[in-house]
Amino acid sequence: MAVLHNRVSQAELKKRLHEETTKRTTISFYQYFPVAEPQQFRDELYKALDALQVFGRIYVAHEGINAQISVPENNFEALKMYLYSIEPLNGLRLNIAVDDDGKSFWVLKIKVREKIVADGIKDPAFSMENKGRYVNAQQMNTLLQDDNTIVIDMRNHYEYEVGHFEKAIEIPSDTFREQLPMAVDMMQDKKEQNIIMYCTGGIRCEKASAYMLHNGFKNVFHLEGGIINYAKQAKENNLTSKFIGKNFVFDDRLGERITQDVIAKCHQCGQPADTHTNCKNDGCHLLFIQCATCAATYDGCCSTACQTVYNLPLEEQKELRKGIDKGMMVFNKSKKRLRPRLDQMNKK
Ligand SMILES: [Zn+2]
Ligand SMILES: [Zn+2]
């Protein structure tokens, strides 16, 4: 039987990746489509992609596929042909990462999951087959001119804070699961209006659009390929960007500037600022917005308390961190974690 999993050590795989002479292209894509046998589909996919030396992380579920992968440049066309040969994926939009060294992945992992985007939807009648209509950048701009249009941002608060579409409404919850029913409630009397939903890459808002339709909304749209694709199209076609500020992304930059507007404020002094940073105290690592002046004043820390710890000898810092929940030290997207601390800071 064919081996459908990797069996080589992590260290060896990383070493091989760095010894590779061919360049890799980093690609992301997703598609909602009915997958009758996810495990079987997963195994076939593994065989085909492994043969093309694809690395990365892919989730397969009854509702579709979500992938972040890299492929050797000279196999890109073959990969595309293979994906397009799967009927529901024919013509699929492949998002190619720019400014990427192709070294993010060194192994291929394909996992079968309950959903490609966890949604908490219990209703068995809900289906991704009835989705909102796609809008491109041009159509988005046109729809935005209509007073009858409502724009809903399906991302987290900290993303909305530094950049969003003009007039966009925020759904104030920490998780997508909670946002779905909340969006329905908030829009209850707007069932006849145009509703456009958007997110960073499109995968969440596409599901949200289906959920709105499922709940009786009539004119639901979603931004194809999300903000990333909008920014790209707006640039290519010289359109005025109706997205203002920065698009938050999970790489070292923590955000890509779309327009020059700075719409957020420093969480410490309240001056205009939209640079996210993680508190330099490793025992905190809070994600927050800090201006250059405060970065200097607080040594990149979120508070004087963290600054004091940060300036202690490393051994003492480690001692202080003992017994602290390790979850505190990892990058945490939850607004719940952000808010109480920020509230404390504001009171100081
Ligand atoms: Zn400041
Ligand atoms: Zn801190």
Side-chain angles (χ1 to χ4, degrees):
M1 217 194 104
V3 177
L4 296 179
H5 299 274
N6 155 64
R7 284 182 177 171
V8 185
S9 79
Q10 292 280 325
E12 173 61 22
L13 290 167
K14 277 193 204 178
K15 185 167 156 268
R16 284 187 202 169
L17 173 72
H18 286 279
E19 282 167 4
E20 260 187 5
T21 47
T22 52
K23 274 177 73 186
R24 282 181 171 268
T25 307
T26 305
I27 306 160
S28 65
F29 64 87
Y30 73 86
Q31 182 77 292
Y32 288 102
F33 69 105
V35 179
E37 301 285 350
Q39 188 60 48
Q40 190 191 328
F41 179 68
R42 180 259 166 221
D43 290 349
E44 284 165 18
L45 196 66
Y46 190 94
K47 265 185 264 178
L49 299 191
D50 187 47
L52 293 170
Q53 297 155 280
V54 168
F55 293 155
R57 181 173 50 74
I58 302 178
Y59 297 121
V60 172
H62 279 295
E63 67 175 9
I65 183 170
N66 183 18
Q68 252 117 31
I69 55 172
S70 76
V71 62
E73 265 181 352
N74 42 8
N75 284 349
F76 178 79
E77 278 306 314
L79 170 70
K80 192 167 153 182
M81 295 299 286
Y82 167 71
L83 291 172
Y84 285 10
S85 73
I86 302 166
E87 184 47 34
L89 302 184
N90 193 7
L92 176 78
R93 190 189 55 254
L94 299 172
N95 304 303
I96 297 170
V98 282
D99 303 333
D100 189 280
D101 64 1
K103 305 279 186 202
S104 320
F105 308 108
W106 51 88
V107 64
L108 177 62
K109 283 186 182 159
I110 310 184
K111 290 186 178 151
V112 172
R113 285 208 162 166
E114 180 67 25
K115 300 277 177 111
I116 56 170
V117 174
D119 52 31
I121 300 170
K122 298 280 188 295
D123 187 349
F126 172 74
S127 156
M128 278 307 296
E129 281 172 72
N130 187 21
K131 300 179 272 198
R133 280 170 274 170
Y134 275 133
V135 288
N136 61 26
Q138 177 70 66
Q139 291 163 325
M140 178 84 178
N141 282 5
T142 307
L143 272 171
L144 283 171
Q145 284 167 6
D146 185 344
D147 287 338
N148 203 30
T149 299
I150 297 166
V151 192
I152 301 181
D153 191 313
M154 292 304 292
R155 301 171 303 155
N156 291 303
H157 170 77
Y158 61 86
E159 298 172 296
Y160 178 92
E161 197 175 8
V162 292
H164 52 79
F165 276 95
E166 283 173 4
K167 300 201 295 185
I169 294 169
E170 193 184 359
I171 308 294
S173 172
D174 297 332
T175 66
F176 184 67
R177 288 164 177 269
E178 285 175 4
Q179 279 182 325
L180 287 173
M182 208 180 258
V184 170
D185 280 351
M186 284 169 69
M187 297 298 128
Q188 211 46 252
D189 56 341
K190 312 263 191 313
K191 289 203 166 158
E192 308 296 323
Q193 285 181 247
N194 293 329
I195 294 181
I196 313 178
M197 313 190 94
Y198 72 89
C199 61
T200 309
I203 190 166
R204 274 176 292 167
C205 63
E206 188 157 333
K207 180 166 274 187
S209 77
Y211 193 67
M212 296 303 272
L213 288 170
H214 180 73
N215 281 280
F217 290 82
K218 305 283 189 307
N219 307 307
V220 185
F221 303 85
H222 60 99
L223 184 60
E224 184 172 16
I227 300 158
I228 295 173
N229 199 40
Y230 175 89
K232 192 167 151 258
Q233 286 183 355
K235 209 179 208 175
E236 283 168 3
N237 301 304
N238 272 320
L239 305 174
T240 307
S241 179
K242 300 283 181 190
F243 183 95
I244 298 166
K246 257 184 176 178
N247 179 26
F248 187 96
V249 284
F250 284 99
D251 62 21
D252 297 339
R253 299 169 296 165
L254 291 180
E256 179 193 9
R257 181 159 296 293
I258 310 289
T259 69
Q260 293 310 310
D261 310 79
V262 175
I263 63 169
K265 290 185 169 65
C266 172
H267 287 164
Q268 286 168 310
C269 71
Q271 289 302 306
D274 62 4
T275 303
H276 271 106
T277 188
N278 284 107
C279 177
K280 289 281 183 292
N281 172 13
D282 281 339
C284 173
H285 213 235
L286 174 76
L287 177 71
F288 70 112
I289 297 172
Q290 188 173 49
C291 74
T293 312
C294 288
T297 310
Y298 294 89
D299 295 329
C301 292
C302 75
S303 58
T304 43
C306 279
Q307 187 180 18
T308 308
V309 175
Y310 175 67
N311 284 306
L312 291 172
L314 274 179
E315 281 310 308
E316 278 183 55
Q317 287 190 41
K318 274 187 199 154
E319 202 54 43
L320 278 174
R321 286 205 294 275
K322 272 186 191 156
I324 294 180
D325 174 13
K326 286 284 188 291
M328 299 288 282
M329 292 169 65
V330 294
F331 188 96
N332 190 325
K333 301 194 290 178
S334 169
K335 189 169 62 173
K336 273 196 187 113
R337 234 201 103 210
L338 258 168
R339 288 291 117 190
R341 283 161 176 263
L342 294 180
D343 291 347
Q344 285 164 19
M345 269 184 249
N346 293 338
K347 278 191 208 116
K348 92 176 175 283

